[in-house]
Amino acid sequence: MKHSKITGTVAPLALVMLFCAALARAESISIPEYRQQLRNIAAREDALQIHPETAADLVKDIPDQISVTTSSGEISVNNKTLKDNLAAFAAADEQKRPELLRQIQSYTQATLAAAESYDKHSADLSPAHGKLDQILARHEFKKVQGPSAKDVLLTRIYRWLSRILSKLAFRGAGNFDWMRLIIYLLVGAAVTMLLLWTIRRLRRPQEDIPEREIIPFAPSARGWRTWLADARALAQQQDWRNAIHMAYWAGISYLEEHGAWKPNRARTPREYLRLIGTRAAQYPVLAALTRKLEIVWYGYGSAAEADFKEALGQLEKLGCR
């Protein structure tokens, strides 16, 4: 009996301890900690070239989801795409692995670049909140509300009149004709009001389209002018490599702001090229910017003032002036 009582007491305590431990593991991490996690993942991905058998262990070590604490609140980062790609790498044969590994590394580097650029210059989302307040203050949003007490009262009155008229219409043959006339008049008035409302609605000037959703970590969250200003500031310091890096993201932010694709914080440069398509007028410019970025940033190639001016020239072709 004593043993069963002890077991019945210890089991709930063990469940509570496990629950608390799970909560501890689910705590949020800061942006610097998240950047360090990405760097560690990138280093282990580089090691896969020599030890591809460690891919399964890397998949297990990467959490499915990470909660990152920023100055504007909590951001949830989903690692499903990265883990699926690593799992596909582990199951692939030796011929397909180099290409898969290159895509995985490019994906991680793009995510790391976005995380490093976000909030790098003490940027916050207060301008974005200001824009949101301006949008919600527009005329069209002031009318978006639930039914008022007046609307509820009128609806009840209409239903009450409908029930009375239905009963009177079939009470007797003598009353049938004029009651039917009243019903027809009411229906005609309702149709006329609906027609007038539709005409006025169609003649109204087209309302402004609400601005796109601002996604933290996405290139357009900071605005292409901010990216370009950062690029010029780095160029004044003769940091040509980082200046070209910022110039590239200025172009991506510009295209994203103008609806070239939906914002996403975890795309690679090659994915942006595929999204815009070879038939688009901006494709040659973006292709040139992408090649310059891959050589200078990801390939650690040498960069000079001429390279930065070439990137600025491509941005001007896009419309970034």
Side-chain angles (χ1 to χ4, degrees), residues 257-276:
E257 288 182 10
H258 288 76
W261 48 68
K262 292 183 178 181
N264 188 308
R265 55 176 173 256
R267 287 198 183 105
T268 65
R270 287 291 168 178
E271 287 175 334
Y272 284 118
L273 271 179
R274 287 195 295 270
L275 283 175
I276 200 169

Side-chain angles (χ1 to χ4, degrees), residues 159-201:
R159 290 178 180 175
W160 176 73
L161 287 175
S162 178
R163 287 196 299 268
I164 293 179
L165 292 176
S166 298
K167 292 179 181 179
L168 293 177
F170 297 96
R171 179 173 293 180
N175 298 331
F176 180 77
D177 293 337
W178 67 269
M179 287 307 304
R180 175 183 290 181
L181 178 61
I182 292 175
I183 293 174
Y184 287 164
L185 289 175
L186 291 174
V187 172
V191 172
T192 302
M193 292 177 63
L194 179 61
L195 180 61
L196 291 175
W197 178 86
T198 303
I199 293 174
R200 290 179 60 186
R201 187 72 177 178

Side-chain angles (χ1 to χ4, degrees), residues 70-230:
T70 68
S71 57
S72 58
E74 295 272 331
I75 297 175
S76 180
V77 181
N78 195 327
N79 291 325
K80 184 177 183 301
T81 301
L82 177 59
K83 297 187 69 171
D84 290 346
N85 292 339
L86 286 169
F89 171 86
D93 54 31
E94 294 182 358
Q95 295 180 351
K96 296 181 179 179
R97 279 180 174 176
E99 177 62 19
L100 289 173
L101 182 57
R102 188 193 65 79
Q103 295 177 4
I104 291 170
Q105 290 174 323
S106 179
Y107 182 95
T108 304
Q109 289 296 333
T111 306
L112 178 58
E116 288 179 343
S117 300
Y118 181 81
D119 212 18
K120 188 174 183 179
H121 301 280
S122 301
D124 55 32
L125 294 180
S126 57
H129 290 298
K131 289 183 180 180
L132 181 61
D133 293 337
Q134 293 177 3
I135 293 171
L136 295 178
R138 290 177 181 173
H139 176 71
E140 61 268 24
F141 289 101
K142 292 181 180 179
K143 296 182 179 180
V144 179
Q145 56 184 358
S148 62
K150 179 181 177 181
D151 297 333
V152 175
L153 179 61
L154 288 176
T155 302
R156 292 179 179 178
I157 293 174
Y158 293 154
R159 290 178 180 175
W160 176 73
L161 287 175
S162 178
R163 287 196 299 268
I164 293 179
L165 292 176
S166 298
K167 292 179 181 179
L168 293 177
F170 297 96
R171 179 173 293 180
N175 298 331
F176 180 77
D177 293 337
W178 67 269
M179 287 307 304
R180 175 183 290 181
L181 178 61
I182 292 175
I183 293 174
Y184 287 164
L185 289 175
L186 291 174
V187 172
V191 172
T192 302
M193 292 177 63
L194 179 61
L195 180 61
L196 291 175
W197 178 86
T198 303
I199 293 174
R200 290 179 60 186
R201 187 72 177 178
L202 292 175
R203 289 181 177 178
R204 180 181 301 177
Q206 186 177 4
E207 298 171 348
D208 295 334
I209 299 175
E211 295 185 14
R212 55 177 175 75
E213 178 188 3
I214 298 177
I215 297 181
F217 289 147
S220 57
R222 297 183 65 229
W224 67 269
R225 291 183 177 85
T226 303
W227 288 105
L228 186 56
D230 292 342

Side-chain angles (χ1 to χ4, degrees), residues 223-242:
W224 67 269
R225 291 183 177 85
T226 303
W227 288 105
L228 186 56
D230 292 342
R232 295 184 186 278
L234 290 168
Q236 291 180 357
Q237 302 172 14
Q238 296 186 353
D239 188 355
W240 306 116
R241 182 171 178 267
N242 284 300

